[in-house]
Amino acid sequence: MNIALIAHDKKKQDIINFSTAYQYILTQHTLYATGTTGRMISDATGLHVHLFQSGPLGGDQQIGAMIANNEMDMVIFFRDPLTAQPHEPDVSALMRLCDVYQIPLATNIAASEIFIRGLHNGDFQWREIVKQKEKENKE
């Protein structure tokens, strides 16, 4: 599955800790991240992460484009709800796209842990079934 990893500045250490704890699961998937977050995760864990721009420079929108093109399967976004973000409209747009395209979105470590354990248990296979059916319909 294609998984996006995003974290606001005050949550970056949390997503690094999360990625370290669940490295054995994440290594089985294709990872994407906004620039700084992705570099920090990769440096801390050795995981291969496809890097986009940083969030304020368009990284959120790049991930949003993948969602709109049905190329993203899950978004793990550790948001900082207590600090104003200069690119809040981009954050809101990304979250709206997840809702529009039925992409699982976890915005904190508790929800992310449920998602990652579900992923490990095969609970998100419906995304693969939908993709296969879409592929068959195009042929």
Side-chain angles (χ1 to χ4, degrees):
M1 294 186 86
N2 293 334
I3 302 171
L5 302 169
I6 309 167
H8 285 147
D9 288 344
K10 291 186 178 178
K11 299 294 182 173
K12 290 200 189 310
Q13 190 58 53
D14 288 343
I15 204 162
I16 290 166
N17 293 344
F18 176 83
S19 299
T20 300
Y22 292 104
Q23 182 174 349
Y24 69 100
I25 297 171
L26 293 171
T27 194
Q28 300 170 32
H29 301 279
T30 305
L31 305 177
Y32 297 84
T34 49
T36 306
T37 301
R39 274 190 294 282
M40 292 174 77
I41 290 169
S42 184
D43 289 348
T45 63
L47 288 166
H48 175 73
V49 181
H50 176 83
L51 302 177
F52 289 118
Q53 298 293 327
S54 69
L57 297 179
D60 297 334
Q61 292 177 342
Q62 290 175 297
I63 291 171
M66 287 188 73
I67 292 168
N69 288 315
N70 200 29
E71 297 170 348
M72 190 62 66
D73 299 302
M74 179 184 294
V75 176
I76 295 176
F77 187 174
F78 286 10
R79 296 178 59 235
D80 178 4
L82 301 178
T83 303
Q85 302 297 325
H87 63 293
E88 191 63 36
D90 297 334
V91 172
S92 295
L94 178 66
M95 294 171 66
R96 184 175 57 255
L97 284 169
C98 287
D99 288 340
V100 168
Y101 291 98
Q102 306 297 318
I103 303 301
L105 168 67
T107 60
N108 59 59
I109 198 163
S112 298
E113 188 168 28
I114 292 167
F115 278 15
I116 205 76
R117 289 180 182 272
L119 180 63
H120 185 62
N121 292 334
D123 296 337
F124 288 100
Q125 290 179 342
W126 64 270
R127 292 275 309 147
E128 294 301 321
I129 293 168
V130 168
K131 284 183 180 180
Q132 183 60 37
K133 293 236 184 250
E134 289 175 353
K135 182 179 176 183
E136 290 170 3
N137 289 339
K138 287 181 183 178
E139 294 175 347

